[in-house]
Amino acid sequence: MRLVFAGTPDTALPSLRALLDSPRHDVVAVVTRPDAQSGRGRKIHPSPVAELAEEAGIEVLRPPKAGDPEFLERLRRIDPDCCPVVAYGALLPQSALDIPRHGWVNLHFSLLPAWRGAAPVQHAVLHGDQITGAATFRIVRELDAGPVYGVVTEEVRPADTSGDLLARLAESGAGLLAATLDGIEDGKLEAVPQPADGVSVAPKIGVDDARVDWSAPAMRVDRLIRACTPAPGAWTEFRGQRVKLGPVRPAPDAPALDPGRIAASKNSVLVGTATHPVELGEVQPQGKRLMGAGEWARGVRPADEDRLG
């Protein structure tokens, strides 16, 4: 099929590569978000999808909005059979959805109808799901509510961060997306409406949501930090300064500590929660580099009255 691929971040690259390598499909253009600031110097850079497309000699479309008239006219002239989508990052108006004859097929990183929305992987980790996956579905106007073509499942491992889990889903999902497009081209694959039961939503997790509440149970603290790793990054405050936190290790056999209280020893740095302590891994004090919790504790020398909060 003649394809226009829509995507923006690194997460979309396995799918784009799979379709570029497919002998059955021809990716004639990509749609991606406009170039944006990134990195320490905050310089303007193209998206990862744009960079890969340019390397492959494929036309790159960067509409400010998906309803932009010039973009819609160019898409009509390209005349794609289908538009696969992976983490594009913008809503598609009906005027765009109507152009490809087989519609827009999205790879979503959850087992729909669970975790519709912007952050399905983070919410799967945050809520302690043991199994998640990815689904391909035809995009309709209602958010992530279109009929489903296929799914793959993935175990959520006990120490998974959202970054770990998303990386695996991006790879397995790429195969699912390619197989879905093969089935659509063959006329042998029909999308199945999502059930009305089991719908849950996964809104974006912002910086404020990523602040650790040490009065929560240790399990909740652990899940929040892993869900927010690598983005937006879990954090707490120490002596009025923000400290970013890497994944922690629950320490159910350690002596109890008041929520937020720090117990630093030669071998570990423990912090109290509502249940049992957790052991800090890596931390990044405000304006400083990432370091092990032991190195941080030796530098700040927490007193009995100090608390993380």
Side-chain angles (χ1 to χ4, degrees):
M1 286 194 294
R2 185 174 171 85
L3 305 177
V4 171
F5 180 90
T8 298
D10 289 330
T11 304
L13 296 183
S15 289
L16 178 54
R17 290 192 182 102
L19 297 177
L20 289 172
D21 292 341
S22 172
R24 299 190 54 172
H25 306 294
D26 183 17
V27 181
V28 295
V30 301
V31 184
T32 191
R33 300 292 292 152
D35 297 354
Q37 291 181 333
S38 64
R40 283 193 170 187
R42 306 305 295 166
K43 294 182 179 179
I44 300 294
H45 293 282
S47 73
V49 163
E51 289 182 332
L52 179 56
E54 288 169 349
E55 290 173 8
I58 296 170
E59 180 179 0
V60 178
L61 306 175
R62 299 176 173 89
K65 293 184 178 181
D68 180 75
E70 292 184 7
F71 164 67
L72 294 176
E73 180 56 32
R74 179 59 188 146
L75 193 61
R76 292 187 189 98
R77 291 202 305 270
I78 293 173
D79 191 27
D81 296 309
C82 188
C83 294
V85 184
V86 184
Y88 170 47
L91 295 177
L92 297 163
Q94 193 64 46
S95 54
L97 296 179
D98 290 339
I99 293 175
R101 56 186 56 84
H102 291 296
W104 296 67
V105 176
N106 190 43
L107 174 64
H108 184 77
F109 297 113
S110 79
L111 297 176
L112 292 169
W115 303 131
R116 294 176 179 174
V121 176
Q122 290 170 313
H123 281 272
V125 174
L126 180 62
H127 289 83
D129 291 1
Q130 294 181 323
I131 298 292
T132 188
T136 49
F137 71 95
R138 182 163 181 157
I139 295 179
V140 297
R141 291 190 68 179
E142 185 180 353
L143 181 65
D144 297 336
V148 173
Y149 287 105
V151 300
V152 291
T153 59
E154 179 70 38
E155 178 187 2
V156 183
R157 300 168 187 170
D160 268 342
T161 66
S162 62
D164 297 331
L165 182 55
L166 182 57
R168 297 201 305 274
L169 288 171
E171 293 293 339
S172 60
L176 171 64
L177 181 60
T180 296
L181 296 174
D182 290 349
I184 291 172
E185 183 181 42
D186 292 338
K188 297 179 180 179
L189 186 61
E190 293 188 8
V192 177
Q194 294 184 34
D197 296 333
V199 175
S200 53
V201 294
K204 181 179 179 179
I205 295 178
V207 173
D208 290 344
D209 304 314
R211 184 174 188 171
V212 174
D213 176 8
W214 299 103
S215 66
M219 179 182 293
R220 177 73 178 179
V221 170
D222 170 46
R223 289 176 180 173
L224 174 68
I225 294 173
R226 289 189 291 111
C228 294
T229 302
W235 61 280
T236 188
E237 283 192 351
F238 178 74
R239 296 175 183 167
Q241 296 289 311
R242 184 172 296 194
V243 179
K244 290 186 177 180
L245 301 171
V248 298
R249 185 180 66 84
D253 297 328
L257 293 169
D258 291 338
R261 185 177 178 185
I262 305 164
S265 67
K266 182 178 180 180
N267 298 319
S268 66
V269 179
L270 301 174
V271 182
T273 72
T275 52
H276 53 74
V278 296
E279 181 181 345
L280 297 185
E282 292 184 316
V283 303
Q284 186 174 14
Q286 188 170 326
K288 297 184 179 180
R289 61 176 175 82
L290 188 69
M291 63 184 71
E295 180 184 355
W296 169 75
R298 286 191 295 273
V300 299
R301 297 183 179 182
D304 287 345
E305 65 272 16
D306 283 325
R307 296 289 186 274
L308 294 180

